């Protein structure tokens, strides 16, 4: 890989299927708050429209769609938050922590194709970084369970930036910390917000479309269709194809 010197990986949905676990946690929280009017399946389906967005955007959107504003507001005082969406998030986090707190659940939800690419990047002496909108404590927990707590040269989380994806700040930070020019970095993402952040920062990007992100990637991402992978078994071959592009061979 002479022309790509570094890889930056997203975490949720890219290395591990935590997006599915996040969707389930929001669904369980919604049903707990409004059991007679909401189903878990409906909330998990709606989550596909906001995957990769900030907690506030996700919570606010789901609250509006399922009429959860008033019931969430009723829990503000007991939870100790200032806004209904924060109360909804706190209820949801209880379920999410139970899911990701189980190492077996996390291991069962690994994406082996992305982890294989990570291992290959390391074998080829490429620098590797992580760029995630998760909080640092959560990201470090997931990496530790997966056995990759010391794999990355740099880890950037939501705690490290003022503006999360789709703003390019987190990818610019990774480029600076790795000491590699953006045009020599390949980002591996799974959501439109992530791909836009990587491209805006000047990186190359390949996206894997998961069941939660494939439709939005096809509809919203400015990536060429060649760089959107829908079959996980095609990821390594797609990376090789990008690396063979004339623009990367100088």
């Amino acid at each position: 890989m002479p022309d790509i010197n570094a890889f930056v990986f997203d975490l949720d949905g890219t290395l591990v299927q935590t997006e599915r676990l996040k969707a389930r946690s929001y669904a369980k929280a919604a049903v707990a708050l409004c059991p007679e009017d909401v189903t878990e399946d409906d909330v998990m389906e709606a989550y596909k429209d906001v995957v990769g967005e900030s907690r506030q955007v996700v919570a606010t959107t789901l609250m509006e769609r399922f009429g959860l504003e008033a019931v969430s507001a009723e829990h503000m005082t007991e939870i100790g938050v200032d806004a209904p969406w924060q109360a909804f998030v706190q209820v949801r986090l209880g379920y999410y922590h139970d899911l990701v707190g189980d190492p077996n659940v996390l291991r069962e939800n690994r994406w082996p194709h992305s982890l294989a690419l990570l291992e290959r990047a390391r074998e080829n002496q490429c620098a590797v970084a992580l760029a995630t909108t998760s909080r640092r404590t959560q990201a470090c927990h997931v990496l530790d369970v997966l056995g990759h707590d010391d794999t990355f040269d740099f880890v950037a989380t939501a705690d490290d930036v003022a503006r999360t994806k789709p703003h390019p700040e987190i990818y610019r930070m990774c480029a600076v910390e790795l000491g590699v020019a953006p045009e020599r970095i390949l980002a591996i993402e799974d959501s439109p917000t992530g791909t836009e952040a990587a491209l805006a920062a000047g990186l190359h990007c390949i996206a894997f479309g998961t069941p939660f992100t494939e439709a939005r990637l096809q509809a919203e991402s400015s990536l060429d269709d060649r760089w959107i992978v829908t079959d996980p078994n095609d990821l390594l071959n797609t990376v090789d194809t990008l690396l063979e592009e004339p623009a990367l061979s100088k």
Side-chain angles (χ1 to χ4, degrees):
M1 300 182 188
D3 297 300
I4 290 294
N5 304 122
F7 286 73
V8 181
F9 291 82
D10 173 53
L11 179 61
D12 298 307
T14 300
L15 293 181
V16 63
Q17 299 180 73
T18 41
E19 292 297 0
R20 182 167 69 183
L21 302 181
K22 287 182 178 181
R24 191 184 304 171
S25 69
Y26 276 107
K28 288 182 176 296
V31 171
L33 291 171
C34 202
E36 296 181 358
D37 301 318
V38 181
T39 68
E40 287 191 20
D41 287 344
D42 287 343
V43 178
M44 291 187 70
E45 185 65 26
Y47 182 80
K48 294 179 180 179
D49 294 335
V50 289
V51 64
E53 302 286 358
S54 68
R55 284 181 180 175
Q56 183 172 358
V57 171
V58 174
T60 301
T61 302
L62 294 178
M63 286 168 53
E64 291 175 352
R65 185 169 302 186
F66 295 100
L68 301 171
E69 296 96 330
V71 68
S72 295
E74 294 174 2
H75 292 270
M76 288 169 51
T77 300
E78 65 181 86
I79 294 176
V81 295
D82 300 320
W85 73 266
Q86 294 172 324
F88 182 38
V89 165
Q90 290 304 310
V91 174
R92 166 254 161 181
L93 284 174
Y95 292 103
Y96 184 68
H97 290 157
D98 287 343
L99 291 169
V100 299
D102 186 340
N104 291 326
V105 171
L106 283 178
R107 295 189 188 104
E108 290 168 359
N109 282 275
R110 290 175 295 183
W111 278 124
H113 55 285
S114 299
L115 292 169
L117 177 59
L118 172 60
E119 293 293 341
R120 194 177 80 168
R122 292 304 267 170
E123 291 171 359
N124 282 276
Q125 307 302 311
C126 291
V128 292
L130 189 80
T132 176
T133 54
S134 288
R135 297 295 183 183
R136 179 164 292 275
T137 54
Q138 293 178 3
C140 289
H141 167 69
V142 173
L143 293 177
D144 181 59
V145 170
L146 296 181
H148 288 286
D149 52 312
D150 60 355
T151 296
F152 294 93
D153 298 297
F154 180 67
V155 173
T157 72
D159 295 321
D160 304 309
V161 294
R163 292 163 291 188
T164 57
K165 305 170 187 178
H167 193 277
E169 180 182 359
I170 197 166
Y171 276 108
R172 290 172 178 163
M173 175 182 291
C174 286
V176 170
E177 292 294 331
L178 293 177
V180 179
E183 63 270 18
R184 297 299 188 194
I185 303 175
L186 176 58
I188 307 298
E189 273 284 353
D190 78 305
S191 69
T193 54
T195 61
E196 296 315 296
L199 294 175
L203 281 66
H204 300 280
C205 186
I206 287 176
F208 169 63
T210 72
F212 284 98
T213 61
E214 182 178 345
R216 283 190 65 200
L217 277 170
Q218 298 286 356
E220 301 175 22
S221 176
S222 58
L223 273 179
D224 188 291
D225 287 345
R226 293 181 300 164
W227 313 132
I228 298 177
V229 179
T230 56
D231 183 342
N233 295 314
D234 291 338
L235 179 61
L236 292 177
N237 288 335
T238 302
V239 170
D240 289 338
T241 298
L242 185 145
L243 294 175
E244 293 168 1
E245 285 287 286
L248 292 179
S249 301
K250 299 181 179 179

